[in-house]
Amino acid sequence: QVQLVESGGGSVQAGGSLRLSCAASGYTYSIYYMYYMGWFRQAPGKEREAVAAIATGGGFTYYADSVKGRFIISQDNAKTTLYLKMNSLNPEDTAMYYCAAKSSRGGRWNAGYNYWGKGTQVTVSS
């Protein structure tokens, strides 16, 4: 089992920045074999959407078009902490942000995640 705990959310004005963190814990074996780590978000009344992901082995990154060029996903060398640096935030970025991990290699980068955190709220005011 893998446990994911997000932190770093908060309230910020449009144009500001935040950095989210996700701490992964559990069996070292389990964490090591997470092939993808990602961030998702869900705004009130909207479906959950994938924001960004990283292939933990090679470090390749993926981004939703809506955040490309503004958000940066990264991980520490031990693969136990995932980050999301969010720049040039706008009110449309307001949502609950979730960290997720995927233990399978196949499929799309934005689907098939089997471990989830409880989320951290990000609110951007205009």
Side-chain angles (χ1 to χ4, degrees), residues 71-92:
F71 291 11
I72 301 172
I73 189 171
S74 61
Q75 64 180 30
D76 69 343
N77 291 335
K79 302 182 183 179
T80 57
T81 306
L82 182 72
Y83 303 99
L84 184 68
K85 182 66 188 303
M86 306 185 294
N87 301 311
S88 301
L89 286 161
N90 58 62
E92 289 70 39

Side-chain angles (χ1 to χ4, degrees), residues 35-83:
Y35 285 101
Y36 294 89
M37 297 285 292
W39 289 96
F40 291 72
R41 67 185 181 186
Q42 187 167 20
K46 295 186 177 181
E47 292 188 355
R48 185 175 62 196
E49 62 172 344
V51 175
I54 186 166
T56 60
F60 197 82
T61 56
Y62 307 81
Y63 295 94
D65 288 343
S66 59
V67 307
K68 201 171 293 183
R70 299 189 298 124
F71 291 11
I72 301 172
I73 189 171
S74 61
Q75 64 180 30
D76 69 343
N77 291 335
K79 302 182 183 179
T80 57
T81 306
L82 182 72
Y83 303 99

Side-chain angles (χ1 to χ4, degrees), residues 1-6 21-28 30-31 34 37 79-82 99-101 114-119:
Q1 290 292 326
V2 174
Q3 293 80 43
L4 304 172
V5 179
E6 304 93 338
S21 299
C22 172
S25 61
Y27 291 112
T28 302
S30 298
I31 296 172
M34 293 297 115
M37 297 285 292
K79 302 182 183 179
T80 57
T81 306
L82 182 72
C99 174
N114 45 344
Y115 296 98
W116 294 85
K118 294 183 178 180

